Amino acid sequence: MPVKLIAHVLLTVADSHLIIQRSQIKRGNPNVFPQYWDIPGGRVEENELPRDAAVRECFEETGISIAKENLTIIHEDSQLDKEKEAVFTRLVYEVTLPEQPKTILLDPEEHTDFLWITSRDENKKNLVPYLDEILEKRKI
């Protein structure tokens, strides 16, 4: 059974984190976790390292450039998807930015909105499960 790697990046400024809302339809097909809030990320392409994929996905999904040297791995999980006959392994990296970027460029085919939230924010609705778990661990 093939293993598919997914790389995400949690963008952090002080005690806030950037989350992006998944679109209902992604490139003509129903999206996974539509309308849920997630962080930038996606599949690691063939002959691509996970850190490089996290940097690429962050830029493609938000327009924010980050350096792979500044990434710290903060989470790993795997699921067996019997329907797709594959194991999906997710790596989540974190990068701390000095300030919130002035511009966030979302691809409307993938994401419809963005927010900066804190781990203690009670207004966190519809987070994808792995992200909810990460932020719960960070509550002070």
Side-chain angles (χ1 to χ4, degrees):
M1 195 169 283
V3 175
K4 310 263 185 187
L5 278 176
I6 303 166
H8 288 271
V9 61
L10 180 66
L11 296 160
T12 301
V13 175
D15 67 343
S16 64
H17 313 287
L18 179 68
I19 58 173
I20 51 182
Q21 189 173 40
R22 299 172 69 86
S23 61
Q24 190 76 28
I25 303 295
K26 180 179 176 180
R27 310 207 190 291
N29 296 309
N31 204 348
V32 177
F33 288 108
Q35 305 302 137
Y36 275 67
W37 294 89
D38 201 351
I39 55 177
R43 284 210 183 140
V44 177
E45 296 176 356
E46 190 173 333
N47 299 319
E48 184 179 39
L49 297 174
R51 284 177 186 270
D52 294 329
V55 168
R56 175 182 53 75
E57 288 287 345
C58 183
F59 184 75
E60 288 176 2
E61 295 183 358
T62 67
I64 298 171
S65 294
I66 56 174
K68 70 179 178 181
E69 298 78 24
N70 296 334
L71 295 175
T72 303
I73 192 156
I74 60 168
H75 178 83
E76 177 271 326
D77 67 70
S78 296
Q79 290 95 28
L80 170 63
D81 187 326
K82 292 181 182 179
E83 185 178 303
K84 295 181 181 175
E85 297 182 345
V87 172
F88 288 87
T89 295
R90 176 188 348 269
L91 301 174
V92 180
Y93 298 93
E94 182 175 26
V95 65
T96 301
L97 304 175
E99 61 186 10
Q100 291 182 3
K102 305 254 186 277
T103 305
I104 307 289
L105 302 172
L106 299 177
D107 177 352
E109 286 285 321
E110 291 194 43
H111 300 96
T112 57
D113 203 359
F114 72 91
L115 289 172
W116 289 92
I117 64 165
T118 70
S119 300
R120 297 172 310 282
D121 193 340
E122 295 302 320
N123 198 20
K124 300 181 307 203
K125 291 186 253 167
N126 290 335
L127 292 179
V128 292
Y130 79 91
L131 181 56
D132 195 30
E133 179 184 324
I134 290 169
L135 295 179
E136 273 299 311
K137 288 180 183 176
R138 291 169 173 254
K139 277 190 177 178
I140 296 173

